[in-house]
């Protein structure tokens, strides 16, 4: 991959040249294009390759190593056997759109019309892509928090917009509201909100969300809210931004089956919001994939109807896994920032005398047999400096795997 040192040797993400090709803008936005124009691989591919070659436990890329509920798998198998193997309608099968609407009512009191205000997508990523491509054009600004999920930068670059960020800083990774306000401008077209937040594990309180809504209304911006970790919170309640006063008419809410049900390979996502905004997104989405995963759509409808005990159980199971890995990370000598949501833990390497997390990430598989992701790769150059000593570990793995990883990590401080 391109050199992702915290000094920032890649092109600044918010200075994309108008003359560059769309693929170059996407690569630059995702930190894959070096100053000399060389195209690299994603940090996930690099760390996974290192993990495989060294036999390390891969806690870098965030995917579970266990399947989700058997009821959902059985429903998919039954749908395939029953012949649900052709194109689904472009906006998704009725059964799943109704299940999404019922889910939003059941958990949040929201009432989207399943006929006109819900669309099924090929994972949350397509929903985000279609939303950005529907509403932004060159010269517009898209605001995200930083660190940011890498596909955000790629998609903003692909659309030719400017990527503006507001920083999230340790230990709680909540934004300074005055700096958030400074990040808005008359060119802010979309606020791309990720809550619960990847990669930091923050869950934004109502005060932060209300400020986002206030500023979006002031600057007439659309809020695209990526809430794929909505059910993976620990001791705090997820608040959909669309549920706040003044937000519903300008908010598109996105979620997916991958994170909630541990079926990341099925790529079933959904988007809900006001009819006019959803229609615009659907217009773009139908020329991306049109539709996908017909038997999986009906299976996820079954999943969304699972009882409250299921949703409470997945969060509690993840909390226990978080604590197992946290113990090993503390024993390794890291400063551990306990997440309130998602399945990622961030740590600071400075207590070990290490200021360059990118370098440590590349050495960690060989040192202790565990792979992680350096947080600077989720940032613009200035943000990479601010986060240069942070590492992210995923804990969505089997308990036995996390226990082994914790034991290996505990030996780190004796090896440096």
């Amino acid at each position: 991959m391109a050199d992702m040192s915290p000094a920032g040797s890649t092109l600044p993400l918010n200075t994309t040249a108008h003359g560059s090709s769309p693929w170059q803008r996407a690569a630059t936005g995702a930190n894959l294009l070096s100053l000399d124009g060389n195209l690299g691989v994603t940090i996930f591919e690099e760390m996974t390759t290192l993990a495989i070659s060294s036999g390390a436990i891969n806690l870098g890329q965030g995917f579970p190593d266990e399947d989700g509920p058997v009821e959902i798998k059985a429903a998919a198998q039954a749908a395939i056997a029953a012949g649900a193997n052709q194109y689904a309608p472009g906006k998704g099968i009725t059964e799943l759109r109704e299940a999404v609407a019922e889910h939003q009512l059941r958990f949040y009191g929201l009432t989207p019309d399943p006929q006109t205000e819900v669309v099924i997508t090929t994972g949350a990523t397509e929903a985000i892509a279609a939303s950005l491509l529907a509403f932004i054009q060159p010269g517009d600004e898209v605001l995200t928090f930083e660190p940011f999920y890498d596909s955000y930068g790629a998609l903003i670059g692909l659309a030719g917009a400017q990527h503006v960020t507001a920083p999230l800083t340790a230990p709680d990774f909540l934004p300074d509201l005055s700096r958030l306000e400074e990040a808005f401008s008359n060119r802010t077209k979309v606020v791309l909100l990720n809550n619960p937040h990847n990669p930091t594990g923050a869950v934004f309180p109502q005060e932060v969300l209300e400020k986002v809504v206030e500023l979006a209304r002031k600057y007439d911006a659309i809020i695209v809210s990526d809430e794929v970790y909505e059910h993976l919170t620990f001791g705090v309640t997820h608040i959909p931004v669309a549920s706040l006063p003044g937000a519903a008419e300008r908010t598109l809410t996105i979620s997916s089956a991958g994170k909630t049900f541990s079926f990341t390979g099925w790529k079933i996502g959904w988007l809900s919001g006001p009819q006019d905004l959803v229609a615009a997104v659907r217009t773009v989405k139908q020329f991306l994939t049109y539709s996908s995963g017909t038997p999986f759509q009906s299976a996820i409808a079954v999943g969304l109807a699972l009882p409250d005990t299921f949703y409470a159980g997945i969060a509690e199971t993840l909390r226990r896994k978080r604590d197992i890995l946290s113990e090993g990370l503390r024993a390794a000598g890291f400063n551990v920032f306990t997440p309130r949501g998602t399945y990622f833990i961030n740590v600071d390497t400075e207590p070990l005398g290490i200021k360059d997390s990118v370098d440590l990430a590349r050495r960690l598989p060989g040192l202790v047999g565990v792979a992680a992701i350096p947080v600077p790769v989720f940032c613009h150059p200035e943000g990479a400096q601010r986060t240069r000593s942070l590492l992210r570990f995923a804990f969505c793995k089997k308990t036995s795997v996390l226990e082994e990883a914790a034991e290996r990590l505990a030996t780190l401080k004796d090896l440096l």
Side-chain angles (χ1 to χ4, degrees):
M1 64 176 289
D3 179 8
M4 285 308 306
S5 66
S9 61
T10 56
L11 289 171
L13 303 188
N14 59 351
T15 57
T16 303
H18 289 297
S20 60
S21 299
W23 75 266
Q24 291 172 313
R25 297 198 303 269
T28 300
N31 284 335
L32 298 182
L33 202 64
S34 65
L35 285 170
D36 59 8
N38 289 326
L39 181 63
V41 299
T42 68
I43 189 66
F44 304 104
E45 184 174 345
E46 181 183 3
M47 291 300 111
T48 295
T49 300
L50 283 174
I52 292 172
S53 64
S54 64
I57 296 172
N58 188 358
L59 302 185
Q61 193 165 3
F63 59 86
D65 58 1
E66 296 179 282
D67 284 343
V70 294
E71 305 99 308
I72 300 179
K73 288 201 294 185
Q77 292 164 346
I80 292 170
N85 301 305
Q86 308 306 323
Y87 291 128
K91 61 183 179 180
I93 66 171
T94 300
E95 181 184 5
L96 181 52
R97 284 186 282 110
E98 291 178 344
V100 168
E102 290 166 4
H103 170 276
Q104 295 302 89
L105 175 63
R106 169 185 171 190
F107 287 100
Y108 310 123
L110 298 171
T111 57
D113 183 338
Q115 299 305 317
T116 60
E117 297 181 327
V118 177
V119 63
I120 307 306
T121 59
T122 305
T125 301
E126 187 193 36
I128 296 164
S131 297
L132 294 178
L133 293 171
F135 298 114
I136 62 176
Q137 56 189 327
D140 288 338
E141 292 180 354
V142 178
L143 174 62
T144 74
F145 289 120
E146 184 183 53
F148 51 84
Y149 183 53
D150 64 341
S151 74
Y152 295 172
L155 293 170
I156 293 166
L158 182 64
Q162 302 296 304
H163 187 180
V164 178
T165 62
L168 303 176
T169 54
D172 57 10
F173 297 107
L174 297 180
D176 178 281
L177 297 186
S178 62
R179 293 195 66 178
L180 174 61
E181 186 162 6
E182 290 170 0
F184 276 80
S185 79
N186 291 327
R187 295 184 300 277
T188 305
K189 182 67 175 180
V190 170
V191 182
L192 179 47
L193 180 67
N194 179 206
N195 180 44
H197 185 264
N198 174 19
T200 68
V203 178
F204 299 130
Q206 186 161 330
E207 177 189 14
V208 170
L209 299 177
E210 287 175 344
K211 189 66 173 180
V212 170
V213 174
E214 172 195 328
L215 292 167
R217 294 182 69 185
K218 178 180 178 179
Y219 291 99
D220 195 24
I222 296 168
I223 301 171
V224 177
S225 189
D226 177 357
E227 302 181 11
V228 295
Y229 297 98
E230 60 185 317
H231 292 294
L232 309 183
T233 63
F234 318 117
V236 292
T237 300
H238 168 67
I239 303 172
V241 69
S243 67
L244 299 179
E249 65 267 23
R250 65 179 63 252
T251 300
L252 292 166
T253 302
I254 295 167
S255 194
S256 80
K259 302 303 187 294
T260 298
F261 301 117
S262 295
F263 290 116
T264 60
W266 291 11
K267 296 297 290 181
I268 301 297
W270 50 87
L271 174 147
S272 61
Q275 180 176 344
D276 58 334
L277 298 184
V278 170
V281 173
R282 189 173 65 244
T283 299
V284 173
K285 176 261 184 300
Q286 67 184 345
F287 298 110
L288 296 176
T289 60
Y290 180 66
S291 70
S292 58
T294 303
F296 300 133
Q297 288 190 31
S298 60
I300 295 306
V302 171
L304 287 172
L306 288 173
D308 290 355
T309 52
F310 163 77
Y311 290 94
I314 57 173
E316 176 57 24
T317 298
L318 269 177
R319 185 196 62 77
R320 291 195 298 269
K321 292 181 175 184
R322 177 198 69 180
D323 294 346
I324 290 169
L325 184 58
S326 295
E327 184 177 348
L329 292 167
R330 291 191 183 94
F334 294 120
N335 184 14
V336 177
F337 305 116
T338 302
R340 306 191 79 181
T342 77
Y343 42 52
F344 301 109
I345 299 176
N346 285 263
V347 303
D348 193 342
T349 65
E350 284 216 28
L352 291 170
I354 297 173
K355 296 183 178 181
D356 184 350
S357 63
V358 177
D359 175 68
L360 180 59
R362 287 172 170 150
R363 293 192 292 131
L364 202 59
L367 283 171
V368 296
V370 177
I373 299 293
V375 175
V377 303
F378 300 111
C379 300
H380 290 178
E382 181 181 346
Q385 285 283 1
R386 186 178 59 253
T387 61
R388 68 192 307 260
S389 61
L390 302 187
L391 276 176
R392 190 196 77 173
F393 294 81
F395 54 91
C396 51
K397 309 296 180 181
K398 295 176 183 176
T399 298
S400 59
V401 171
L402 293 172
E403 289 171 341
E404 174 64 23
E407 290 181 10
R408 295 183 184 187
L409 287 162
T411 67
L412 178 63
K413 62 184 176 182
D414 298 323
L415 300 173
L416 296 173

